[in-house]
Amino acid sequence: MDAYTIVFYVLAAMTVISAAIVAFTNKIIYAAFALLFTLFGFATLYIYLSADFIAVSQVLIYVGGILILILFGVMLTTKIYDVSVKSERNPILPALIAGIGTSIVIGFVIFRTPWNAVVDKEFTTIAPDIGNAIMGKFLLPFEVASILLLAALIGSVLLARSEENE
Amino acid sequence: MEPIIQLGYDLLPILNDLPEWIAITAIALSAAIILLIFIAVFALFAIWLERKVSAHMQDRLGPMEVGGWHGWLQTIADALKLLGKEDIIPTNADKILFKFAPILVFAATVAVFAAIPWDSGLVPADLNIGLLYILAISSLIVIAIMMGGWASNNKWSLYGAMRGAAQMISYEIPIALSLIVVNMSTGAFNMSELVRQQEGTILDWMFLRFFPFGFIAFIIYFVASLAEVNRTPFDLPEAESELVGGFHTEYTGMRFAMFFLAEFANMFVVAAIAVTAFLGGWLPPFQFLDFIPGPLWFFGKALFLVFVQMWLRWTLPRLRVDQLMYTCWKVLTPFSFAVLMIVALWMII
């Protein structure tokens, strides 16, 4: 085991443990803050794949943007500590079927995909390639996504603004 | 990193006998410790400077006694006092998050220093995406502020944290847009490459390119960066006259010192980004001034910007929350978009 592998296992453990906290804690605020480490851990995995631009974008967008919005949402809810995680009726059978079904699909993907364990590539500047790809080959999906976001933005403004003649 | 590793091998030949990864780890650790010492010393110096600057602007003397010459030992005495203070955690605070917030804020601040270019080759980590890395890591500071404000279980802290988060994520937009102007012109995210693209005389520096639009981008960046580090006129998150101490109201002793150190270190960070992106980094303004080494130029320029931040603090009153949002969304953001478009057109023509 060299340092590279040790650091990988430390980061992977950080990601998995924090993800477990997100899933199992019954304090929403802890779940929200643990999400920080999960998202950050994912960013470090991108670095192992020599995708530094993606890693930084992950931190910038998810940690710097979305997580802060989630925290705002959590802090504005009334019951934060000791939220009961169970709903009134727990339909066990459908939950089991859905859970097992999902794990089978995920397991299938895991074992059928030819994984590149380590991408031993020099860090090159990939930002121009990504920019060219977005503005060339993937222009249509990019524009569709931006129209979707614009619609969401206008919709949320419409919902949030107060009516003056109320 | 490579030049620094090479320097480490040259300084300590014994490292050649060790396995490579131990040697590299040792060099990287010593670089990190040197940076840590720099941050601590700089913060102590900046706090002293701030007190002196504020005093002279208000026609006072400021600290004069401790240490003899203009009270230069004053902040060291204050730091020792903070170290010796009792560490109080409020009974109803969330203990885990309360203890973790100062660690996170300081770790994020130190991590940013990894990508700051002091001279050609003298960069702790010369990342391809250095500028984005700095922006991404500094967004962790917002989360730490929210964590501290929430965990204190105090309404003033929570108000301060909420204001801080809202202010910081709003002002990230004009900051990013004004930095994109630099990226478009230089075609690089790499911090050293940004500086190398500005080589020549002072006229080749970003803030004098596309005159006057480079300068407008620089001003937008500088104003927005004041909000990013919670300096007056944007110091609402810790406005002591209305929020006691803002998000760090409940913090005492060393934990409070961590927030304070991080704040002054961040003043240097935003100044360093401005110097790298707009003011030619380590380059001298004219070729004949070449004999002064690069790190001194870099530090001098950054220190000047830090001084301007203090100058503004003691000149301007604090904005109201609605004025703060007005400044960001209706002034800085549209102007930075306009500058971005004009510079893009200029580059095409």
Side-chain angles (χ1 to χ4, degrees):
Chain A
M1 282 235 278
D2 55 351
Y4 204 67
T5 326
I6 296 172
V7 174
F8 172 79
Y9 279 112
V10 170
L11 291 172
M14 180 187 88
T15 313
V16 172
I17 292 171
S18 59
I21 295 175
V22 173
F24 294 118
T25 182
N26 57 353
K27 293 179 180 172
I28 306 181
I29 196 86
Y30 283 0
F33 280 120
L35 202 56
L36 163 68
F37 295 95
T38 317
L39 297 171
F40 205 77
F42 272 117
T44 60
L45 295 185
Y46 291 131
I47 291 174
Y48 268 83
L49 297 170
S50 297
D52 49 0
F53 186 77
I54 314 271
V56 169
S57 310
Q58 159 95 8
V59 176
L60 203 59
I61 294 166
Y62 282 90
V63 178
I66 292 175
L67 183 59
I68 292 175
L69 291 182
I70 292 176
L71 281 172
F72 259 97
V74 168
M75 287 180 182
L76 293 175
T77 53
T78 44
K79 276 194 228 161
I80 291 182
Y81 289 105
D82 301 319
V83 175
S84 170
V85 281
K86 285 176 187 154
S87 56
E88 282 184 9
R89 289 184 302 127
N90 282 315
I92 289 178
L93 194 66
L96 267 182
I97 292 171
I100 292 173
T102 316
S103 5
I104 287 173
V105 172
I106 291 176
F108 205 65
V109 172
I110 289 175
F111 288 108
R112 292 295 291 275
T113 311
W115 295 104
N116 294 327
V118 170
V119 179
D120 206 8
K121 221 176 72 178
E122 280 284 296
F123 283 106
T124 49
T125 319
I126 53 172
D129 299 339
I130 292 176
N132 283 330
I134 287 179
M135 281 295 146
K137 202 175 162 191
F138 299 101
L139 185 60
L140 185 65
F142 178 69
E143 288 300 328
V144 169
S146 55
I147 288 173
L148 181 72
L149 287 175
L150 183 67
L153 197 68
I154 293 172
S156 57
V157 168
L158 192 71
L159 288 175
R161 72 187 278 240
S162 54
E163 293 291 328
E164 278 170 29
N165 52 358
E166 245 181 353
Chain B
M1 192 74 207
E2 275 75 25
I4 290 180
I5 291 175
Q6 197 49 50
L7 185 72
Y9 276 124
D10 291 345
L11 286 180
L12 280 175
I14 196 168
L15 288 172
N16 284 312
D17 307 332
L18 294 168
E20 199 192 357
W21 67 272
I22 294 183
I24 289 178
T25 313
I27 294 169
L29 263 182
S30 8
I33 289 169
I34 291 171
L35 274 180
L36 201 64
I37 293 171
F38 169 79
I39 292 168
V41 172
F42 176 79
L44 288 176
F45 169 70
I47 293 168
W48 173 79
L49 187 69
E50 168 115 55
R51 296 175 72 171
K52 293 305 277 189
V53 167
S54 68
H56 283 283
M57 283 186 186
Q58 295 169 336
D59 216 3
R60 301 184 277 121
L61 285 173
M64 288 300 281
E65 298 294 329
V66 189
W69 186 79
H70 285 270
W72 67 279
L73 268 175
Q74 183 64 51
T75 42
I76 297 174
D78 286 346
L80 288 176
K81 180 198 75 179
L82 277 176
L83 274 172
K85 269 193 170 178
E86 186 190 355
D87 178 30
I88 303 169
I89 300 179
T91 327
N92 288 327
D94 190 317
K95 306 244 168 0
I96 303 172
L97 295 178
F98 190 85
K99 285 179 187 162
F100 193 73
I103 300 175
L104 186 61
V105 93
F106 199 68
T109 308
V110 177
V112 166
F113 273 82
I116 288 179
W118 292 92
D119 196 357
S120 180
L122 196 61
V123 192
D126 200 7
L127 305 168
N128 285 322
I129 33 94
L131 193 59
L132 281 178
Y133 165 83
I134 292 182
L135 291 181
I137 297 293
S138 10
S139 64
L140 288 178
I141 294 171
V142 187
I143 293 186
I145 285 178
M146 291 187 88
M147 198 185 271
W150 170 262
S152 303
N153 203 357
N154 171 321
K155 57 187 157 196
W156 308 121
S157 303
L158 191 56
Y159 266 127
M162 288 292 205
R163 281 186 182 183
Q167 169 181 329
M168 282 167 148
I169 52 177
S170 306
Y171 278 83
E172 257 169 32
I173 293 164
I175 284 189
L177 287 173
S178 53
L179 288 175
I180 285 176
V181 173
V182 180
N183 289 342
M184 272 197 322
S185 171
T186 56
F189 282 129
N190 183 312
M191 295 291 269
S192 315
E193 190 58 34
L194 280 180
V195 178
R196 256 176 239 124
Q197 293 285 339
Q198 303 179 50
E199 241 155 29
T201 59
I202 188 168
L203 292 174
D204 292 299
W205 294 359
M206 253 326 287
F207 83 113
L208 286 179
R209 279 197 206 172
F210 310 110
F211 194 80
F213 300 108
F215 193 69
I216 296 174
F218 171 61
I219 295 294
I220 290 173
Y221 172 79
F222 190 73
V223 172
S225 72
L226 289 177
E228 201 59 11
V229 291
N230 303 331
R231 298 287 300 177
T232 325
F234 307 110
D235 64 342
L236 295 132
E238 41 196 87
E240 65 278 329
S241 50
E242 42 184 312
L243 285 182
V244 192
F247 59 86
H248 50 54
T249 303
E250 297 288 355
Y251 281 91
T252 52
M254 206 49 211
R255 292 188 215 280
F256 169 74
M258 291 271 219
F259 277 117
F260 213 61
L261 270 182
E263 189 182 321
F264 276 87
N266 274 321
M267 284 167 67
F268 184 80
V269 168
V270 292
I273 299 174
V275 167
T276 313
F278 293 101
L279 301 181
W282 62 78
L283 301 169
F286 299 104
Q287 281 304 321
F288 66 88
L289 289 169
D290 230 5
F291 60 91
I292 301 173
L296 278 186
W297 277 115
F298 186 86
F299 186 71
K301 290 174 191 174
L303 199 61
F304 174 71
L305 287 184
V306 169
F307 170 71
V308 175
Q309 291 177 6
M310 293 175 179
W311 182 1
L312 287 175
R313 173 168 177 186
W314 297 100
T315 310
L316 298 173
R318 185 182 302 133
L319 291 179
R320 262 194 340 252
V321 177
D322 58 324
Q323 293 168 333
L324 176 91
M325 287 298 157
Y326 179 91
T327 315
C328 178
W329 293 107
K330 294 195 175 169
V331 181
L332 294 180
T333 309
F335 269 97
S336 50
F337 264 118
V339 168
L340 185 65
M341 300 257 192
I342 292 168
V343 171
L345 272 178
W346 188 318
M347 285 177 72
I348 292 171
I349 296 169

